[in-house]
Amino acid sequence: MLQIKHFVRNVSLICCNHLHLSGSKALLSALSALVRTLPGSGGRQFDSLSGGAGSVGLQTLPFSFTGRSCRKEFLLDPTAGETLLESWQAVPGITKMNQQSTHRHWRPWVLMLTVIFLLGLTDVWNRGQTVRQLTSREAGYPESGARISSPQNRQGSGVTCLSIPEQDRFDCYPERDRVVTQKLCEQRGCCFVQVTMDLTGVPWCFYPPNFPSYILGNRTITELGEAGELTRRNKTYYPRDIWKLQLNVMFEADHRLHIKINDSSNPRYEVPIEVPRATKKAMNPLYTVEYSEDPFGIVVRRVSTRTVLLNTTVAPLFFADQFLQMSTSLPSTYLYGLGEHRAGFLHSVQWNTLTFWARDIAPQESVNLYGVHPFYLSLEPDGKSHGVFLLNSNAMDVALQPTPALTWRTIGGILDFYIFMGPDPNSVIQQYLEVIGLPSMVSAWGLGFHLCRWGYETSNTTWEVVKQMRKAGMPQDAQWNDIDYMTNYRDFTFDPERFASLPQLVADLHSHGQHYVMILDPGISSIQPPGSYWPYDEGLKRGVFITNTSGSPLIGKVWPGLTAFPDFTNPDTHQWWLDNLLHFHKAVPFDGLWIDMNEPSNFVDGSESGCPTNELENPPFVPGVLGGSLRSRTICASVKQKALTHYNVHSLYGLMEAKASASALIKIRKKRPFVISRSTFPSQGKYSGHWLGDNRSQWKDMYFSIPGILNFNMFGIPLVGADICGFGGSTTEEMCVRWMQLGAFYPFSRNHNVQKEKAQDPTVFSASAQAAMKRVLLIRYSLLPYLYTLFHHSHIRGETVARALLFEFPEDKNTYSIDRQFLWGRSLLITPVLEPGASSVTAYFPKGVWYNLYTGSPLVSTGEYVKLPAPLDTINLHLREGEIIATQEPATTTWVSSGNPLYLLVALSQDTSAKGYLFWDDGESLDTYERNDYTYVEFTTDKNELTSKVLHVNVDASYIKVDIVSVFGVKFHPSRVIVNGKSVPFSHSSNQVLTVDNLHLPLEKQFSICWS
């Protein structure tokens, strides 16, 4: 009888794993699996019921099951003391079993009892619901399905809990402010299993397979896809569950799926940024969608490979008023994005939680930083890639675990997901930017070298730095000032004594083709006598400040002392901001804006008078924000902003200020705006660039800047860089030389440091250090035509400027974790030195030919690491085979450089072909591409002939000539070179470089150069 007791106990668990089968095969397969739990079976399976003729063979069939209630279990027979682990599929939530069988004889009474018992379950099986793929009919693929079983009603037993592997345990108690006990855990209906200390990060409290979730019903076809109703039957452990939800699955494009889950009865906050509105359903989507109805879950697959990209059946869905949670499996451990955080480019999925809530903090690991970008790119096992974006601005955690899996956990708004199908990393980013918006086109001068310091103290000192840069022949396009130019740190003022000559300094910059950028903080001084400070007086009059619960301006504390904070969600604030800038511009005609402290930062938590005690200030769950509360180093979460609460729009503050600033600059200067912002949010690239914040003069900070610029290029903000040589602390000469070399290849290149530390502008160092810095800056300026073209492609197509190697070589797994090298576009490989005392550097070269940019010498790689010489005056640069880039004779400003002749560098592929492009306009006018006021030229090489094809032309091209062409990889010594039908002199070096100079070919006209 003891055997029968354990036998019956295990029936329901085993049958669950065979619900996909039908008829006799279902019964026999379930029977076969069941018998292995009997004492004496040894945990083995059986390939027939009895030997001899007429025996029925049992074949265990692979199957797919999207529910959670029956996965991740093993059957334990305590009498026999034997444990059997059920194998389960590599992609969680889509269970596959493939079991081996051995022969065994069965006792007749066991067979009879089992058959009778299983026949009683056939009614349950017949009630199983088939889940169809939404796009099967449209895509022309056969429908596939999975059987859905009812969830278990009992709490997961200890056996069930123990059976869940550590890496697959989804945290049921994510709160960080308390130690989880068994009592607290079980009060939530969850499993509690302590693990050893060496299993760091594994949750002790986790969901059992049968944890209650939503049930999908009332599915209907919509114009764009399908809709359904999600119903919750059981209350969760967070207050104010939303019992009925509306599910909308929209097939917006072949490469884009949009999944939206919202309260079906009451409106909720949604992020107020522009996104495309699809008008018709995708005809040939690259994805299929499957549902689990009870418990609810969604599975998204790639049509071409059947790879599961999204599988939310792995853990329960939560949707309470202030706690929303959804988990998904990941197809691999290769995950990127999810900013802004300081980490390597490749995220660790080893129990790694990332927090999102804009915060003023000098960059450090494992904390939430200035910006919020809830977007990730994931690589699939075959090298394809996809992206996922959660359009939500509330405070959130994203928990990564080694399943691999990811959990979104946010405290407001809705669940609004976009899935981008790629299939390569570059196209994933382009598809993402189709949703959030393409970056604006940068001014050419914005790509020059910028210099700044907090601590110049006077305008004359600032001016002297500029003069020393000119004297040394250092390229420089813009001079900046930090807050020390202001009167007592008040916006829209300059100190009449210390910075009396500021207007003259700016005029001098302009006369030399240079530009001036000033800093602004959002905090407006509130302590001046009435009538003495127009920005505050007028702001009060117009009602532009964020107010507290009594309707008065919330008062915090920043650099000028007590301050009020403009509400940039209010259109009236944009006009007030413009009026202030216009007034100041008449005195100091600045060219660009640096908007800092816009998380917004506050030196007191909340306000001078504290914050109310309410559910917005103290939500039932607080993500892992630095400081432990939402108001830490910022303003109260519950304050009102134009019909919205700061609780919802906090992380949008920098975006909204950037939007107001860009708009104001366009109206004031009638040219492209130049704005650099510290806090950012998706779509920010339409209005501003970004610098990586208050780093330090440390070698590790130099390294971390590379993942930073790669991430922000993924986020649609290609104009990004770090403070060269470090902001905090004092640099060394060696470090600053190496950092200037790296920083010359930041898309946004600025040297900046703090007050009361050693100066670090290039002219303060030794002659040899200055020579190395000057050399690399001139290299940058020579490459500006190529860099400018990359920004054009970013503006019109959403391509990245600074690019990770894996973007170009997704088939090469060696590139997946490389973040000490990067590319400009697809052509130029940059390998900086990131360690002190180095005279060499190890670089990875993907398979192919790579040409030394300085010499043209080829390096043929099979996909390998190579040790390169790296003297202190050199950064290693290599041009990829098959590429043509336009360079230019450099000068000390972009304005002077823009009139110099062009040089073409042609890097022949192994089949002697190459291609490249050049975009050219006046460098500052608005919407030149949109108004067709530009030149665009395609260069191609094939069969020993280089040709230019002018695809579009304007008057600016008539001033530029192509003077020199160098072709790398010409393996034979040509006997002649023909340019537009005429023979010309040339040279051919021993390292296979063909050079033709003194060409004077007009850019506006097509030309041909051939060699034989």
Side-chain angles (χ1 to χ4, degrees), residues 409-454:
R409 196 177 289 133
T410 184
I411 62 172
I414 66 171
L415 296 176
D416 193 0
F417 291 100
Y418 290 86
I419 297 93
F420 309 102
M421 299 301 296
D424 61 89
N426 287 305
S427 57
V428 169
I429 301 307
Q430 291 174 286
Q431 293 157 14
Y432 174 45
L433 299 195
E434 287 177 3
V435 170
I436 65 170
L438 294 165
S440 61
M441 184 60 188
V442 67
S443 296
W445 67 265
L447 301 181
F449 179 65
H450 300 243
L451 190 57
C452 184
R453 184 178 188 181
W454 179 21

Side-chain angles (χ1 to χ4, degrees), residues 611-641:
C611 297
T613 300
N614 57 41
E615 60 194 18
L616 296 181
E617 297 296 338
N618 304 289
F621 171 78
V622 179
V625 296
L626 184 63
S629 70
L630 300 183
R631 61 181 172 269
S632 178
R633 291 279 291 189
T634 190
I635 62 178
C636 300
S638 59
V639 294
K640 298 294 184 181
Q641 290 189 234

Side-chain angles (χ1 to χ4, degrees), residues 94 267 489 770 965 990:
I94 307 298
Y489 302 139
Q770 287 189 48
V965 172
S990 60

Side-chain angles (χ1 to χ4, degrees), residues 887-893 895-903 920 959-961:
T887 68
Q888 194 165 35
E889 181 182 328
T892 56
T893 65
W895 173 249
V896 177
S897 292
S898 66
N900 288 342
L902 294 174
Y903 303 162
W920 197 267
Y959 306 119
I960 304 300
K961 293 190 169 42

Side-chain angles (χ1 to χ4, degrees), residues 647-692:
Y647 179 89
N648 290 322
V649 299
H650 165 83
S651 292
L652 298 177
Y653 196 91
L655 169 65
M656 297 302 182
E657 186 189 16
K659 186 176 182 180
S661 299
S663 174
L665 280 173
I666 291 171
K667 292 175 182 176
I668 292 169
R669 300 184 69 244
K670 307 297 190 291
K671 298 176 182 178
R672 296 175 205 165
F674 179 85
V675 181
I676 297 293
S677 174
R678 191 168 74 177
S679 187
T680 59
F681 191 81
S683 78
Q684 186 108 11
K686 295 162 62 175
Y687 313 108
S688 83
H690 172 64
W691 97 104
L692 297 176

Side-chain angles (χ1 to χ4, degrees), residues 20-35:
H20 69 291
L21 303 174
S22 60
S24 61
K25 284 189 177 182
L27 297 176
L28 293 173
S29 182
L31 180 61
S32 174
L34 181 62
V35 170

